[in-house]
Amino acid sequence: MEISSMGDLLVKNLMTKDNRRYSTSQQVPVEDPSPHNQNTDDKMMDPLVKIEDLQVKFLRLLQRFGQSQDNILAVKVLYRLHLATLIRAGESDMKMVNLRSDRTRAIAREQEAAGIPDLDFSIRILVLGKTGVGKSATINSIFDQTKTETDAFQPATDCIREVKGSVNGIKVTFIDTPGFLPSCVRNVKRNRKIMLSVKKFIRRSPPDIVLYFERLDLISMGFSDFPLLKLMTEVFGTAIWFNTILVMTHSSSTLPEGSSGYPFSYESYVTQCTDLVQQRIHQAVSDARLENQVLLVENHPQCRRNVKGEQILPNGQIWKSRFLLLCICTKVLGDANALLGFRDSIELGPLGNTRVPSMPHLLSSFLRHRSLSSPSEAENEIDEILASEIDEEDEYDQLPPIKILKKSQFERLSKSQKKSYLDELDYREILYFKKQLKEESRRRKENKLSKEECLPNDSTPDEQTSSEAVMLPDMVVPPSFDPDCLAYRYRCLVTSDQWLVRPVLDLQGWDHDVGFDGINLETAVEIKSNVFASIAGQITKDKHDFNIHSESAAAYVDPEGPTYCIGLDVQSSGKDMIYTVHGNTKLRNFKHNVTDCGVSLTSFGNKNYVGAKLEDSLLVGKRLKLVMNAGRMGGSGQVAYGGSFEAILRGADYPVRNDNISLTMTALSFNKEVVLTGGFQSEFRPIRGLNMSVNANLNSRKMGQVCIKLNSSAHMEIALLAVFSIFRGLLRRKAAENKSTEALETG
């Protein structure tokens, strides 16, 4: 069991301190130092001498309370004090510090045996908690006498006051406070008033320890004191939780029954309740590193006692002795933090953004990025493929007419006749679509020639007349709790302007009224002759998160030369934003060869990354396309190199059908390590009515994945695979839930 969260964070902080700022000539004196050395090292040695005195006091307290130095709590406190002294003194003084540590144990035994000097050790304890949880009763139990009034039916403490006393020669001062009211809106004002009064009271003399009280018998899975804990954090600050001990009163009450009908075991029930309270504190502080000590208390007069008359809990623990030991350990660690100057360097709260984007990921994304060119670039590529066939006589017009069979007629055909008939329809369909593409290509060329011949101020009435708005079809949404009338829902209009705005559908939403939590915006326009711009982005917003992802670019296309492009990408990453500015130039060296040179600048937080790449693509014939690229990304003292080669083989019916096979080889070098990745991607139609997509990759680290997608409108039996997978997943989840429930009940 850990001592306190403050001690844990202290060690982590100590280990990260830079010891080089301390001179290696500094030493911890074992015997009386010379005057010269004392003057030289007096400033440095003062904290270490005080730490030695603190160790002596701690060892004397352990003897006085009958606690062994081998106690797990005592061992950890002594270890942390020793570690802090070593780090503060410097590595060259380890032997000296070890000798000093052995000497403190002997001094403590001698002083405690003689009772000289008097042990000057006092503890100030702040008591916080809801009303009726047993704060005043616990104070009376510690002193074994009635120091404060208690009442089982109404609040007994109505003002802040100090309760002083002595326990085994130790001065103990409790700061008793009025109890908080249960968490609800109407009680926030009163609770805040009490907290502000307590904060003002302890400003002059801060407490060493804070006790936060809860009743163990009233904690359940519906524990809802998070608003109260959050209010305490806001008023007192996160530092109050460093030295806080969770006190669970009524720890000998009857345990509740589990779902099996048998009571929980004592240890499992206590663990479950304390973990629940600790989770609420983590949420209030926004830091899961915090681990507070837990003290079980029972103040009832009929509590079981041992032969010495000490109250003991159902687990056999003497809670009063543990209370004193926890308080002493926490006080000693707090004093050590103050003496060595580590207190102000330990902070709670959300961790700062220490995330650094992956350099190989940035480089691979940059290499895959395709720059903006003319919106008709894809159409021009298709036109070039069809240009070789434009002079050929269209086969579709030369085909003989075919009779389209009815369903009843088709069913009477034999199996071979059905196959021949369907193959003929597919062949005619491909020829028909190819003819349509050729006609569209001719029209585009004619329109381009007509625009070049027309004067800039010429316009036709058709161009001046704006087209009417067209209603987009309804978005396909899953079944949900919809009203009877759906006519008004989520209609999108497409007008003559270039902007396309659509809602972003949340498929996981229960109600379509709140199923759309963002918008998607796209546009691509020709600003003027040969100058193009495009913007595409998506924004989603809910009560907690705001996400944006946008890409904007502008390009100038020189009809006789290169294409220049510049763009800006913005993407949210948690609470931060990633900005990327990129620019590139495309050169068409030959008719079917294009070279692309690009640079980029990525900003993430206070770090910047610069990248450069060179890409070359070559179209071989009508069906084979080769793409090669290489790049470099550097920033924050790190550099990554990478390159890839991709071969794309298109189907014989391209561009009518998009059947293709793609082979990719990628190499990334980062931190003197090279990772090779091979990829395979294919889209094809194995049989009529079924489309298949296969995507697979494997790298040199023997990591990879295989993804197969099937799409069919005729083979419905494929859907049974998905039903089987979902059903199997539900069974596994149910079995896991049953196992976790049984483990919790059995402890």
Side-chain angles (χ1 to χ4, degrees):
M1 185 175 293
E2 299 294 330
I3 310 174
S4 66
S5 59
M6 190 172 190
D8 296 335
L9 294 178
L10 167 65
V11 174
K12 295 178 182 178
N13 184 274
L14 292 174
M15 297 302 293
T16 57
K17 286 289 179 179
D18 187 1
N19 296 329
R20 291 175 295 179
R21 57 181 174 172
Y22 303 114
S23 172
T24 56
S25 63
Q26 296 165 349
Q27 295 182 355
V28 180
V30 178
E31 298 180 357
D32 294 337
S34 63
H36 174 73
N37 290 337
Q38 185 174 3
N39 294 332
T40 304
D41 297 338
D42 184 55
K43 185 176 181 180
M44 180 60 195
M45 290 302 107
D46 257 350
L48 299 178
V49 172
K50 292 178 180 179
I51 289 294
E52 180 186 9
D53 294 339
L54 191 60
Q55 288 177 325
V56 172
K57 287 183 179 180
F58 180 68
L59 293 171
R60 289 185 62 182
L61 289 170
L62 291 178
Q63 296 181 44
R64 183 166 299 188
F65 287 101
Q67 298 288 344
S68 171
Q69 295 182 13
D70 296 331
N71 184 288
I72 185 64
L73 296 179
V75 169
K76 290 186 177 182
V77 171
L78 291 173
Y79 169 73
R80 285 170 178 146
L81 292 176
H82 181 67
L83 180 61
T85 307
L86 286 176
I87 295 177
R88 179 62 79 187
E91 294 183 0
S92 63
D93 299 323
M94 287 187 178
K95 293 183 179 180
M96 297 294 185
V97 175
N98 289 332
L99 291 174
R100 175 183 287 270
S101 178
D102 295 336
R103 195 183 70 169
T104 54
R105 298 175 185 270
I107 293 175
R109 286 193 297 267
E110 294 174 1
Q111 290 184 358
E112 186 63 19
I116 301 174
D118 293 337
L119 186 59
D120 184 16
F121 192 86
S122 61
I123 305 176
R124 286 180 60 84
I125 302 173
L126 175 63
V127 177
L128 298 175
K130 290 183 294 185
T131 183
V133 295
K135 300 187 296 296
S136 299
T138 302
I139 295 175
N140 293 336
S141 298
I142 295 298
F143 291 120
D144 284 332
Q145 56 180 306
T146 304
K147 291 279 190 176
T148 61
E149 296 182 0
T150 59
D151 196 315
F153 302 101
Q154 60 183 0
T157 305
D158 55 1
C159 63
I160 305 172
R161 58 180 178 178
E162 292 186 351
V163 182
K164 299 182 179 181
S166 178
V167 180
N168 288 3
I170 299 177
K171 300 174 184 177
V172 181
T173 302
F174 284 97
I175 305 174
D176 198 8
T177 61
F180 304 133
L181 295 180
S183 299
C184 64
V185 177
R186 64 177 181 272
N187 293 334
V188 172
K189 186 175 180 180
R190 182 183 183 278
N191 289 339
R192 184 184 293 273
K193 183 178 179 181
I194 295 175
M195 293 178 191
L196 291 175
S197 300
V198 174
K199 183 178 181 181
K200 183 179 180 181
F201 186 88
I202 64 176
R203 186 170 299 167
R204 293 183 179 178
S205 182
D208 302 311
I209 301 163
V210 179
L211 302 182
Y212 180 73
F213 284 75
E214 284 287 352
R215 285 188 57 163
L216 184 66
D217 57 336
L218 296 183
I219 295 178
S220 62
M221 295 306 294
F223 181 73
S224 58
D225 274 349
F226 170 73
L228 179 61
L229 299 174
K230 187 68 174 177
L231 183 61
M232 289 176 57
T233 306
E234 293 176 0
V235 174
F236 295 107
T238 56
I240 193 175
W241 297 106
F242 271 127
N243 294 338
T244 297
I245 299 175
L246 302 181
V247 181
M248 300 292 180
T249 59
H250 296 263
S251 296
S252 295
S253 302
T254 304
L255 299 178
E257 293 183 353
S259 58
S260 62
Y262 294 95
F264 284 102
S265 66
Y266 186 80
E267 296 295 340
S268 63
Y269 179 72
V270 170
T271 301
Q272 178 181 345
C273 294
T274 54
D275 287 348
L276 188 59
V277 179
Q278 187 70 72
Q279 289 175 9
R280 298 296 182 267
I281 296 177
H282 287 168
Q283 295 173 4
V285 182
S286 300
D287 195 329
R289 297 174 298 169
L290 184 67
E291 290 296 334
N292 298 98
Q293 283 300 299
V294 177
L295 176 66
L296 303 177
V297 172
E298 180 55 69
N299 298 309
H300 198 279
Q302 297 182 359
C303 178
R304 190 161 59 96
R305 297 175 181 267
N306 59 11
V307 293
K308 296 181 180 180
E310 298 171 323
Q311 293 178 328
I312 58 177
L313 300 174
N315 60 357
Q317 188 180 88
I318 303 174
W319 71 264
K320 185 176 177 180
S321 298
R322 178 170 175 77
F323 165 79
L324 294 173
L325 182 59
L326 279 176
C327 290
I328 293 171
C329 293
T330 307
K331 161 76 171 175
V332 169
L333 286 176
D335 291 347
N337 273 340
L339 290 174
L340 297 177
F342 293 128
R343 174 170 292 174
D344 296 334
S345 62
I346 306 175
E347 296 181 358
L348 284 178
L351 295 176
N353 181 19
T354 58
R355 295 179 302 165
V356 177
S358 170
M359 193 76 71
H361 174 73
L362 289 177
L363 178 59
S364 60
S365 300
F366 179 48
L367 294 177
R368 290 195 305 267
H369 186 271
R370 296 294 180 261
S371 59
L372 172 69
S373 296
S374 169
S376 60
E377 182 179 10
E379 297 174 351
N380 293 338
E381 184 178 345
I382 295 176
D383 292 344
E384 292 178 3
I385 296 176
L386 296 174
S388 59
E389 304 177 3
I390 199 68
D391 296 332
E392 299 177 4
E393 189 175 4
D394 290 331
E395 297 182 27
Y396 182 79
D397 295 333
Q398 304 299 320
L399 292 175
I402 184 175
K403 180 181 178 181
I404 304 301
L405 301 179
K406 297 181 180 180
K407 185 176 181 180
S408 58
Q409 296 173 330
F410 180 77
E411 294 295 336
R412 288 196 294 268
L413 297 177
S414 63
K415 187 175 182 180
S416 60
Q417 290 175 335
K418 289 180 180 179
K419 184 178 183 302
S420 300
Y421 176 75
L422 293 176
D423 290 342
E424 179 67 21
L425 290 181
D426 287 342
Y427 177 67
R428 288 174 177 265
E429 181 184 35
I430 292 174
L431 293 180
Y432 175 76
F433 282 130
K434 187 174 292 188
K435 176 184 177 182
Q436 295 295 105
L437 290 175
K438 291 179 180 180
E439 292 178 355
E440 291 179 4
S441 177
R442 292 192 192 100
R443 284 196 298 268
R444 283 195 297 269
K445 290 182 178 180
E446 292 173 358
N447 291 336
K448 185 177 181 180
L449 292 175
S450 62
K451 287 182 179 180
E452 292 176 354
E453 294 175 357
C454 293
L455 295 175
N457 295 330
D458 290 347
S459 60
T460 61
D462 295 337
E463 293 174 347
Q464 297 175 352
T465 304
S466 61
S467 60
E468 297 182 357
V470 179
M471 184 176 295
L472 288 179
D474 290 342
M475 297 180 68
V476 179
V477 294
S480 181
F481 303 101
D482 286 327
D484 296 332
C485 179
L486 302 176
Y488 70 94
R489 289 205 170 248
Y490 311 116
R491 302 285 179 165
C492 302
L493 297 179
V494 178
T495 58
S496 60
D497 59 9
Q498 300 293 332
W499 294 92
L500 177 61
V501 181
R502 296 174 295 173
V504 178
L505 174 64
D506 180 12
L507 295 178
Q508 306 299 326
W510 283 16
D511 191 341
H512 293 171
D513 285 330
V514 294
F516 297 92
D517 56 357
I519 59 172
N520 181 280
L521 182 144
E522 297 178 15
T523 185
V525 295
E526 183 177 3
I527 301 176
K528 61 179 184 179
S529 178
N530 298 327
V531 179
F532 305 92
S534 72
I535 298 176
Q538 179 173 305
I539 298 175
T540 58
K541 177 72 173 69
D542 57 20
K543 294 181 179 180
H544 304 287
D545 299 322
F546 172 79
N547 298 313
I548 181 173
H549 187 190
S550 67
E551 298 179 358
S552 57
Y556 169 71
V557 181
D558 187 348
E560 303 297 333
T563 300
Y564 304 96
C565 176
I566 187 171
L568 172 65
D569 299 343
V570 180
Q571 181 179 356
S572 58
S573 175
K575 300 296 183 181
D576 298 318
M577 302 293 293
I578 301 177
Y579 302 93
T580 302
V581 180
H582 53 84
N584 67 288
T585 301
K586 279 189 175 182
L587 303 173
R588 182 175 291 273
N589 304 325
F590 303 99
K591 183 177 181 181
H592 299 294
N593 178 248
V594 177
T595 302
D596 188 351
C597 305
V599 295
S600 74
L601 174 62
T602 301
S603 176
F604 181 78
N606 58 351
K607 299 182 182 299
N608 298 318
Y609 303 89
V610 180
K613 73 171 181 177
L614 177 65
E615 180 177 303
D616 188 80
S617 62
L618 177 64
L619 184 62
V620 182
K622 303 178 184 178
R623 302 173 55 188
L624 180 61
K625 183 177 182 180
L626 305 178
V627 180
M628 295 167 285
N629 59 33
R632 175 188 184 275
M633 180 71 68
S636 299
Q638 297 177 327
V639 180
Y641 300 90
S644 66
F645 173 80
E646 182 178 9
I648 304 173
L649 180 63
R650 293 161 174 162
D653 298 328
Y654 181 83
V656 176
R657 288 178 179 169
N658 195 28
D659 296 347
N660 65 82
I661 296 177
S662 173
L663 297 176
T664 306
M665 177 61 70
T666 303
L668 288 174
S669 175
F670 181 65
N671 285 342
K672 299 181 180 180
E673 182 179 3
V674 179
V675 178
L676 302 177
T677 304
F680 170 82
Q681 184 175 357
S682 177
E683 295 181 12
F684 59 97
R685 190 174 71 162
I687 58 176
R688 185 179 292 105
L690 176 64
N691 295 323
M692 176 178 288
S693 174
V694 180
N695 190 348
N697 59 72
L698 180 66
N699 61 24
S700 57
R701 294 181 177 178
K702 298 182 180 180
M703 299 173 61
Q705 65 176 3
V706 177
C707 178
I708 301 176
K709 296 181 181 180
L710 301 176
N711 182 14
S712 174
S713 58
H715 303 273
M716 300 304 296
E717 61 273 11
I718 298 177
L720 296 177
L721 297 176
V723 174
F724 174 76
S725 301
I726 294 174
F727 181 71
R728 187 177 180 183
L730 292 175
L731 291 180
R732 287 184 175 180
R733 178 178 297 181
K734 185 65 176 177
E737 291 177 354
N738 292 337
K739 289 183 179 179
S740 61
T741 303
E742 293 176 1
L744 181 63
E745 293 178 355
T746 57

